[in-house]
Amino acid sequence: MCVFKQLHFLCINNNISLAIAESCTAGLLASKITSFSGASSFFKGGIISYQNDIKINILGVSKSLIKDKSEVCHEVVEQMAKNVR
């Protein structure tokens, strides 16, 4: 079974909601998640933060962190995930 179908069942069966913040994937994850009927029952939505100003101004990622470590470092990803929650 596809991992996105498994995610679908996991969220529905455990009453879990999901929101995502994407960057380099440019909406691919949201597209995959919503490709199955019923995703609206758990998927709240997502933010595609392809540019750094969206990461900073919408997702609250530290501008200095991006400057010091790059927009693709794991610390930025962690801040994106935490703040989209």
Side-chain angles (χ1 to χ4, degrees), residues 43-75:
F43 184 59
K44 294 188 176 258
I47 296 172
I48 301 168
S49 56
Y50 206 68
Q51 293 185 346
N52 288 342
D53 62 324
I54 302 300
K55 290 176 185 73
I56 295 163
N57 296 318
I58 304 295
L59 288 171
V61 173
S62 165
K63 186 176 186 176
S64 62
L65 178 61
I66 291 173
K67 182 181 175 191
D68 293 343
K69 295 216 171 191
S70 92
E71 61 273 9
V72 294
C73 72
H74 75 274
E75 292 92 347

PDB file of all heavy atoms in Angstrom, residues 43-75:
ATOM      1  N   PHE A  43      -7.005  16.549   6.493  1.00  0.00           N
ATOM      2  CA  PHE A  43      -5.979  17.451   5.966  1.00  0.00           C
ATOM      3  C   PHE A  43      -6.462  18.891   6.048  1.00  0.00           C
ATOM      4  O   PHE A  43      -7.425  19.273   5.395  1.00  0.00           O
ATOM      5  CB  PHE A  43      -5.633  17.083   4.526  1.00  0.00           C
ATOM      6  CG  PHE A  43      -4.520  17.913   3.936  1.00  0.00           C
ATOM      7  CD1 PHE A  43      -3.260  17.922   4.527  1.00  0.00           C
ATOM      8  CD2 PHE A  43      -4.725  18.678   2.805  1.00  0.00           C
ATOM      9  CE1 PHE A  43      -2.225  18.677   3.988  1.00  0.00           C
ATOM     10  CE2 PHE A  43      -3.700  19.437   2.258  1.00  0.00           C
ATOM     11  CZ  PHE A  43      -2.449  19.437   2.855  1.00  0.00           C
ATOM     12  N   LYS A  44      -5.793  19.692   6.891  1.00  0.00           N
ATOM     13  CA  LYS A  44      -6.184  21.084   7.093  1.00  0.00           C
ATOM     14  C   LYS A  44      -5.679  21.997   5.990  1.00  0.00           C
ATOM     15  O   LYS A  44      -6.281  23.009   5.703  1.00  0.00           O
ATOM     16  CB  LYS A  44      -5.686  21.574   8.446  1.00  0.00           C
ATOM     17  CG  LYS A  44      -6.364  20.865   9.598  1.00  0.00           C
ATOM     18  CD  LYS A  44      -5.996  21.487  10.908  1.00  0.00           C
ATOM     19  CE  LYS A  44      -6.756  20.816  12.020  1.00  0.00           C
ATOM     20  NZ  LYS A  44      -7.873  21.588  12.480  1.00  0.00           N
ATOM     21  N   GLY A  45      -4.530  21.675   5.400  1.00  0.00           N
ATOM     22  CA  GLY A  45      -3.964  22.482   4.332  1.00  0.00           C
ATOM     23  C   GLY A  45      -2.461  22.570   4.463  1.00  0.00           C
ATOM     24  O   GLY A  45      -1.851  21.911   5.296  1.00  0.00           O
ATOM     25  N   GLY A  46      -1.891  23.420   3.621  1.00  0.00           N
ATOM     26  CA  GLY A  46      -0.449  23.549   3.634  1.00  0.00           C
ATOM     27  C   GLY A  46       0.013  24.904   3.157  1.00  0.00           C
ATOM     28  O   GLY A  46      -0.746  25.660   2.552  1.00  0.00           O
ATOM     29  N   ILE A  47       1.249  25.181   3.447  1.00  0.00           N
ATOM     30  CA  ILE A  47       1.898  26.404   3.005  1.00  0.00           C
ATOM     31  C   ILE A  47       3.097  25.998   2.158  1.00  0.00           C
ATOM     32  O   ILE A  47       3.934  25.211   2.602  1.00  0.00           O
ATOM     33  CB  ILE A  47       2.359  27.266   4.191  1.00  0.00           C
ATOM     34  CG1 ILE A  47       1.149  27.722   4.998  1.00  0.00           C
ATOM     35  CG2 ILE A  47       3.200  28.451   3.714  1.00  0.00           C
ATOM     36  CD1 ILE A  47       1.496  28.410   6.302  1.00  0.00           C
ATOM     37  N   ILE A  48       3.140  26.514   0.946  1.00  0.00           N
ATOM     38  CA  ILE A  48       4.282  26.283   0.083  1.00  0.00           C
ATOM     39  C   ILE A  48       5.172  27.505   0.189  1.00  0.00           C
ATOM     40  O   ILE A  48       4.832  28.577  -0.290  1.00  0.00           O
ATOM     41  CB  ILE A  48       3.853  26.044  -1.376  1.00  0.00           C
ATOM     42  CG1 ILE A  48       2.926  24.836  -1.435  1.00  0.00           C
ATOM     43  CG2 ILE A  48       5.082  25.840  -2.264  1.00  0.00           C
ATOM     44  CD1 ILE A  48       2.216  24.690  -2.749  1.00  0.00           C
ATOM     45  N   SER A  49       6.273  27.334   0.873  1.00  0.00           N
ATOM     46  CA  SER A  49       7.172  28.461   1.157  1.00  0.00           C
ATOM     47  C   SER A  49       8.433  28.340   0.309  1.00  0.00           C
ATOM     48  O   SER A  49       9.527  28.159   0.826  1.00  0.00           O
ATOM     49  CB  SER A  49       7.513  28.485   2.645  1.00  0.00           C
ATOM     50  OG  SER A  49       8.067  27.253   3.042  1.00  0.00           O
ATOM     51  N   TYR A  50       8.244  28.447  -0.976  1.00  0.00           N
ATOM     52  CA  TYR A  50       9.356  28.276  -1.904  1.00  0.00           C
ATOM     53  C   TYR A  50      10.379  29.396  -1.745  1.00  0.00           C
ATOM     54  O   TYR A  50      11.570  29.175  -1.866  1.00  0.00           O
ATOM     55  CB  TYR A  50       8.819  28.228  -3.340  1.00  0.00           C
ATOM     56  CG  TYR A  50       9.697  27.476  -4.289  1.00  0.00           C
ATOM     57  CD1 TYR A  50       9.865  26.104  -4.180  1.00  0.00           C
ATOM     58  CD2 TYR A  50      10.362  28.132  -5.301  1.00  0.00           C
ATOM     59  CE1 TYR A  50      10.676  25.404  -5.047  1.00  0.00           C
ATOM     60  CE2 TYR A  50      11.172  27.443  -6.185  1.00  0.00           C
ATOM     61  CZ  TYR A  50      11.334  26.075  -6.047  1.00  0.00           C
ATOM     62  OH  TYR A  50      12.140  25.400  -6.918  1.00  0.00           O
ATOM     63  N   GLN A  51       9.917  30.603  -1.440  1.00  0.00           N
ATOM     64  CA  GLN A  51      10.828  31.730  -1.220  1.00  0.00           C
ATOM     65  C   GLN A  51      11.019  31.965   0.278  1.00  0.00           C
ATOM     66  O   GLN A  51      10.117  31.727   1.085  1.00  0.00           O
ATOM     67  CB  GLN A  51      10.293  32.999  -1.875  1.00  0.00           C
ATOM     68  CG  GLN A  51      10.275  32.911  -3.389  1.00  0.00           C
ATOM     69  CD  GLN A  51       9.856  34.230  -4.020  1.00  0.00           C
ATOM     70  OE1 GLN A  51       9.341  35.119  -3.365  1.00  0.00           O
ATOM     71  NE2 GLN A  51      10.099  34.342  -5.311  1.00  0.00           N
ATOM     72  N   ASN A  52      12.192  32.472   0.622  1.00  0.00           N
ATOM     73  CA  ASN A  52      12.527  32.668   2.029  1.00  0.00           C
ATOM     74  C   ASN A  52      11.621  33.662   2.728  1.00  0.00           C
ATOM     75  O   ASN A  52      11.364  33.529   3.929  1.00  0.00           O
ATOM     76  CB  ASN A  52      13.990  33.100   2.173  1.00  0.00           C
ATOM     77  CG  ASN A  52      14.948  31.967   1.880  1.00  0.00           C
ATOM     78  OD1 ASN A  52      14.567  30.796   1.898  1.00  0.00           O
ATOM     79  ND2 ASN A  52      16.185  32.300   1.591  1.00  0.00           N
ATOM     80  N   ASP A  53      11.105  34.675   2.029  1.00  0.00           N
ATOM     81  CA  ASP A  53      10.243  35.648   2.714  1.00  0.00           C
ATOM     82  C   ASP A  53       8.970  34.984   3.233  1.00  0.00           C
ATOM     83  O   ASP A  53       8.436  35.391   4.262  1.00  0.00           O
ATOM     84  CB  ASP A  53       9.930  36.860   1.828  1.00  0.00           C
ATOM     85  CG  ASP A  53       9.167  36.524   0.572  1.00  0.00           C
ATOM     86  OD1 ASP A  53       9.411  35.461  -0.020  1.00  0.00           O
ATOM     87  OD2 ASP A  53       8.323  37.355   0.170  1.00  0.00           O
ATOM     88  N   ILE A  54       8.494  33.938   2.581  1.00  0.00           N
ATOM     89  CA  ILE A  54       7.330  33.204   3.082  1.00  0.00           C
ATOM     90  C   ILE A  54       7.729  32.395   4.313  1.00  0.00           C
ATOM     91  O   ILE A  54       6.983  32.348   5.304  1.00  0.00           O
ATOM     92  CB  ILE A  54       6.737  32.273   1.998  1.00  0.00           C
ATOM     93  CG1 ILE A  54       6.332  33.075   0.767  1.00  0.00           C
ATOM     94  CG2 ILE A  54       5.559  31.469   2.550  1.00  0.00           C
ATOM     95  CD1 ILE A  54       5.297  34.154   1.010  1.00  0.00           C
ATOM     96  N   LYS A  55       8.890  31.791   4.273  1.00  0.00           N
ATOM     97  CA  LYS A  55       9.381  31.057   5.451  1.00  0.00           C
ATOM     98  C   LYS A  55       9.472  31.993   6.649  1.00  0.00           C
ATOM     99  O   LYS A  55       9.089  31.641   7.766  1.00  0.00           O
ATOM    100  CB  LYS A  55      10.750  30.440   5.171  1.00  0.00           C
ATOM    101  CG  LYS A  55      10.741  29.290   4.194  1.00  0.00           C
ATOM    102  CD  LYS A  55      12.172  28.819   3.931  1.00  0.00           C
ATOM    103  CE  LYS A  55      12.237  27.757   2.873  1.00  0.00           C
ATOM    104  NZ  LYS A  55      12.014  28.247   1.516  1.00  0.00           N
ATOM    105  N   ILE A  56       9.977  33.192   6.427  1.00  0.00           N
ATOM    106  CA  ILE A  56      10.193  34.155   7.511  1.00  0.00           C
ATOM    107  C   ILE A  56       8.883  34.802   7.959  1.00  0.00           C
ATOM    108  O   ILE A  56       8.553  34.803   9.145  1.00  0.00           O
ATOM    109  CB  ILE A  56      11.215  35.228   7.065  1.00  0.00           C
ATOM    110  CG1 ILE A  56      12.592  34.579   6.839  1.00  0.00           C
ATOM    111  CG2 ILE A  56      11.301  36.366   8.075  1.00  0.00           C
ATOM    112  CD1 ILE A  56      13.556  35.416   6.018  1.00  0.00           C
ATOM    113  N   ASN A  57       8.123  35.351   7.009  1.00  0.00           N
ATOM    114  CA  ASN A  57       6.952  36.161   7.350  1.00  0.00           C
ATOM    115  C   ASN A  57       5.675  35.377   7.617  1.00  0.00           C
ATOM    116  O   ASN A  57       4.814  35.854   8.353  1.00  0.00           O
ATOM    117  CB  ASN A  57       6.702  37.189   6.242  1.00  0.00           C
ATOM    118  CG  ASN A  57       7.845  38.166   6.118  1.00  0.00           C
ATOM    119  OD1 ASN A  57       8.396  38.644   7.104  1.00  0.00           O
ATOM    120  ND2 ASN A  57       8.246  38.461   4.892  1.00  0.00           N
ATOM    121  N   ILE A  58       5.535  34.216   7.039  1.00  0.00           N
ATOM    122  CA  ILE A  58       4.326  33.418   7.250  1.00  0.00           C
ATOM    123  C   ILE A  58       4.565  32.289   8.252  1.00  0.00           C
ATOM    124  O   ILE A  58       3.766  32.065   9.146  1.00  0.00           O
ATOM    125  CB  ILE A  58       3.795  32.829   5.913  1.00  0.00           C
ATOM    126  CG1 ILE A  58       3.543  33.930   4.884  1.00  0.00           C
ATOM    127  CG2 ILE A  58       2.559  31.975   6.142  1.00  0.00           C
ATOM    128  CD1 ILE A  58       2.446  34.906   5.241  1.00  0.00           C
ATOM    129  N   LEU A  59       5.688  31.605   8.103  1.00  0.00           N
ATOM    130  CA  LEU A  59       5.976  30.464   8.975  1.00  0.00           C
ATOM    131  C   LEU A  59       6.819  30.821  10.197  1.00  0.00           C
ATOM    132  O   LEU A  59       7.017  29.976  11.061  1.00  0.00           O
ATOM    133  CB  LEU A  59       6.672  29.358   8.178  1.00  0.00           C
ATOM    134  CG  LEU A  59       5.768  28.616   7.187  1.00  0.00           C
ATOM    135  CD1 LEU A  59       6.591  27.692   6.306  1.00  0.00           C
ATOM    136  CD2 LEU A  59       4.697  27.838   7.924  1.00  0.00           C
ATOM    137  N   GLY A  60       7.307  32.040  10.266  1.00  0.00           N
ATOM    138  CA  GLY A  60       8.047  32.473  11.447  1.00  0.00           C
ATOM    139  C   GLY A  60       9.425  31.871  11.597  1.00  0.00           C
ATOM    140  O   GLY A  60       9.952  31.771  12.713  1.00  0.00           O
ATOM    141  N   VAL A  61      10.044  31.470  10.500  1.00  0.00           N
ATOM    142  CA  VAL A  61      11.402  30.933  10.552  1.00  0.00           C
ATOM    143  C   VAL A  61      12.375  32.094  10.772  1.00  0.00           C
ATOM    144  O   VAL A  61      12.202  33.184  10.224  1.00  0.00           O
ATOM    145  CB  VAL A  61      11.752  30.177   9.247  1.00  0.00           C
ATOM    146  CG1 VAL A  61      13.208  29.765   9.225  1.00  0.00           C
ATOM    147  CG2 VAL A  61      10.848  28.962   9.077  1.00  0.00           C
ATOM    148  N   SER A  62      13.362  31.870  11.573  1.00  0.00           N
ATOM    149  CA  SER A  62      14.355  32.886  11.888  1.00  0.00           C
ATOM    150  C   SER A  62      15.164  33.289  10.653  1.00  0.00           C
ATOM    151  O   SER A  62      15.785  32.445  10.003  1.00  0.00           O
ATOM    152  CB  SER A  62      15.299  32.355  12.966  1.00  0.00           C
ATOM    153  OG  SER A  62      16.451  33.144  13.072  1.00  0.00           O
ATOM    154  N   LYS A  63      15.140  34.573  10.354  1.00  0.00           N
ATOM    155  CA  LYS A  63      15.904  35.097   9.214  1.00  0.00           C
ATOM    156  C   LYS A  63      17.396  34.840   9.414  1.00  0.00           C
ATOM    157  O   LYS A  63      18.104  34.481   8.468  1.00  0.00           O
ATOM    158  CB  LYS A  63      15.642  36.595   9.064  1.00  0.00           C
ATOM    159  CG  LYS A  63      16.253  37.218   7.852  1.00  0.00           C
ATOM    160  CD  LYS A  63      15.854  38.688   7.743  1.00  0.00           C
ATOM    161  CE  LYS A  63      16.343  39.302   6.463  1.00  0.00           C
ATOM    162  NZ  LYS A  63      15.864  40.690   6.319  1.00  0.00           N
ATOM    163  N   SER A  64      17.869  35.003  10.633  1.00  0.00           N
ATOM    164  CA  SER A  64      19.291  34.787  10.905  1.00  0.00           C
ATOM    165  C   SER A  64      19.675  33.315  10.744  1.00  0.00           C
ATOM    166  O   SER A  64      20.782  32.996  10.301  1.00  0.00           O
ATOM    167  CB  SER A  64      19.673  35.293  12.292  1.00  0.00           C
ATOM    168  OG  SER A  64      18.974  34.599  13.299  1.00  0.00           O
ATOM    169  N   LEU A  65      18.764  32.411  11.060  1.00  0.00           N
ATOM    170  CA  LEU A  65      19.034  30.990  10.868  1.00  0.00           C
ATOM    171  C   LEU A  65      19.212  30.685   9.386  1.00  0.00           C
ATOM    172  O   LEU A  65      20.147  29.979   8.995  1.00  0.00           O
ATOM    173  CB  LEU A  65      17.903  30.141  11.449  1.00  0.00           C
ATOM    174  CG  LEU A  65      18.035  28.635  11.279  1.00  0.00           C
ATOM    175  CD1 LEU A  65      19.288  28.105  11.965  1.00  0.00           C
ATOM    176  CD2 LEU A  65      16.798  27.938  11.816  1.00  0.00           C
ATOM    177  N   ILE A  66      18.335  31.233   8.557  1.00  0.00           N
ATOM    178  CA  ILE A  66      18.454  31.029   7.113  1.00  0.00           C
ATOM    179  C   ILE A  66      19.764  31.607   6.606  1.00  0.00           C
ATOM    180  O   ILE A  66      20.473  30.971   5.821  1.00  0.00           O
ATOM    181  CB  ILE A  66      17.249  31.645   6.373  1.00  0.00           C
ATOM    182  CG1 ILE A  66      15.986  30.836   6.684  1.00  0.00           C
ATOM    183  CG2 ILE A  66      17.503  31.698   4.868  1.00  0.00           C
ATOM    184  CD1 ILE A  66      14.706  31.449   6.152  1.00  0.00           C
ATOM    185  N   LYS A  67      20.107  32.789   7.089  1.00  0.00           N
ATOM    186  CA  LYS A  67      21.354  33.438   6.657  1.00  0.00           C
ATOM    187  C   LYS A  67      22.574  32.635   7.093  1.00  0.00           C
ATOM    188  O   LYS A  67      23.515  32.453   6.323  1.00  0.00           O
ATOM    189  CB  LYS A  67      21.428  34.856   7.227  1.00  0.00           C
ATOM    190  CG  LYS A  67      22.653  35.612   6.795  1.00  0.00           C
ATOM    191  CD  LYS A  67      22.695  36.995   7.402  1.00  0.00           C
ATOM    192  CE  LYS A  67      24.001  37.678   7.045  1.00  0.00           C
ATOM    193  NZ  LYS A  67      24.209  38.897   7.791  1.00  0.00           N
ATOM    194  N   ASP A  68      22.548  32.148   8.321  1.00  0.00           N
ATOM    195  CA  ASP A  68      23.709  31.442   8.871  1.00  0.00           C
ATOM    196  C   ASP A  68      23.851  30.005   8.356  1.00  0.00           C
ATOM    197  O   ASP A  68      24.968  29.532   8.151  1.00  0.00           O
ATOM    198  CB  ASP A  68      23.641  31.401  10.402  1.00  0.00           C
ATOM    199  CG  ASP A  68      23.786  32.771  11.035  1.00  0.00           C
ATOM    200  OD1 ASP A  68      24.252  33.704  10.342  1.00  0.00           O
ATOM    201  OD2 ASP A  68      23.425  32.906  12.219  1.00  0.00           O
ATOM    202  N   LYS A  69      22.738  29.315   8.175  1.00  0.00           N
ATOM    203  CA  LYS A  69      22.814  27.875   7.862  1.00  0.00           C
ATOM    204  C   LYS A  69      22.251  27.489   6.503  1.00  0.00           C
ATOM    205  O   LYS A  69      22.456  26.369   6.071  1.00  0.00           O
ATOM    206  CB  LYS A  69      22.081  27.087   8.942  1.00  0.00           C
ATOM    207  CG  LYS A  69      22.739  27.184  10.298  1.00  0.00           C
ATOM    208  CD  LYS A  69      22.593  25.885  10.999  1.00  0.00           C
ATOM    209  CE  LYS A  69      23.431  25.899  12.245  1.00  0.00           C
ATOM    210  NZ  LYS A  69      23.539  24.604  12.843  1.00  0.00           N
ATOM    211  N   SER A  70      21.479  28.321   5.869  1.00  0.00           N
ATOM    212  CA  SER A  70      20.813  28.120   4.564  1.00  0.00           C
ATOM    213  C   SER A  70      19.354  27.734   4.766  1.00  0.00           C
ATOM    214  O   SER A  70      18.964  27.227   5.822  1.00  0.00           O
ATOM    215  CB  SER A  70      21.517  27.099   3.670  1.00  0.00           C
ATOM    216  OG  SER A  70      20.996  25.814   3.849  1.00  0.00           O
ATOM    217  N   GLU A  71      18.590  27.954   3.723  1.00  0.00           N
ATOM    218  CA  GLU A  71      17.151  27.675   3.783  1.00  0.00           C
ATOM    219  C   GLU A  71      16.825  26.189   3.698  1.00  0.00           C
ATOM    220  O   GLU A  71      15.682  25.793   3.907  1.00  0.00           O
ATOM    221  CB  GLU A  71      16.392  28.438   2.689  1.00  0.00           C
ATOM    222  CG  GLU A  71      16.793  28.085   1.282  1.00  0.00           C
ATOM    223  CD  GLU A  71      17.979  28.884   0.754  1.00  0.00           C
ATOM    224  OE1 GLU A  71      18.632  29.618   1.528  1.00  0.00           O
ATOM    225  OE2 GLU A  71      18.272  28.777  -0.435  1.00  0.00           O
ATOM    226  N   VAL A  72      17.802  25.355   3.431  1.00  0.00           N
ATOM    227  CA  VAL A  72      17.549  23.920   3.320  1.00  0.00           C
ATOM    228  C   VAL A  72      18.160  23.105   4.463  1.00  0.00           C
ATOM    229  O   VAL A  72      18.204  21.879   4.382  1.00  0.00           O
ATOM    230  CB  VAL A  72      18.015  23.363   1.948  1.00  0.00           C
ATOM    231  CG1 VAL A  72      17.194  23.941   0.821  1.00  0.00           C
ATOM    232  CG2 VAL A  72      19.490  23.611   1.729  1.00  0.00           C
ATOM    233  N   CYS A  73      18.584  23.763   5.516  1.00  0.00           N
ATOM    234  CA  CYS A  73      19.145  23.025   6.654  1.00  0.00           C
ATOM    235  C   CYS A  73      18.020  22.411   7.493  1.00  0.00           C
ATOM    236  O   CYS A  73      16.873  22.842   7.453  1.00  0.00           O
ATOM    237  CB  CYS A  73      20.032  23.925   7.505  1.00  0.00           C
ATOM    238  SG  CYS A  73      19.151  25.159   8.475  1.00  0.00           S
ATOM    239  N   HIS A  74      18.358  21.400   8.259  1.00  0.00           N
ATOM    240  CA  HIS A  74      17.329  20.710   9.042  1.00  0.00           C
ATOM    241  C   HIS A  74      16.709  21.597  10.114  1.00  0.00           C
ATOM    242  O   HIS A  74      15.545  21.429  10.465  1.00  0.00           O
ATOM    243  CB  HIS A  74      17.873  19.392   9.638  1.00  0.00           C
ATOM    244  CG  HIS A  74      18.781  19.556  10.801  1.00  0.00           C
ATOM    245  ND1 HIS A  74      20.130  19.766  10.655  1.00  0.00           N
ATOM    246  CD2 HIS A  74      18.533  19.542  12.129  1.00  0.00           C
ATOM    247  CE1 HIS A  74      20.675  19.872  11.854  1.00  0.00           C
ATOM    248  NE2 HIS A  74      19.738  19.735  12.765  1.00  0.00           N
ATOM    249  N   GLU A  75      17.438  22.577  10.623  1.00  0.00           N
ATOM    250  CA  GLU A  75      16.871  23.476  11.629  1.00  0.00           C
ATOM    251  C   GLU A  75      15.734  24.326  11.052  1.00  0.00           C
ATOM    252  O   GLU A  75      14.739  24.583  11.724  1.00  0.00           O
ATOM    253  CB  GLU A  75      17.958  24.398  12.215  1.00  0.00           C
ATOM    254  CG  GLU A  75      19.000  23.685  13.056  1.00  0.00           C
ATOM    255  CD  GLU A  75      20.236  23.246  12.265  1.00  0.00           C
ATOM    256  OE1 GLU A  75      20.205  23.272  11.019  1.00  0.00           O
ATOM    257  OE2 GLU A  75      21.232  22.872  12.908  1.00  0.00           O
TER     258      GLU A  75
END
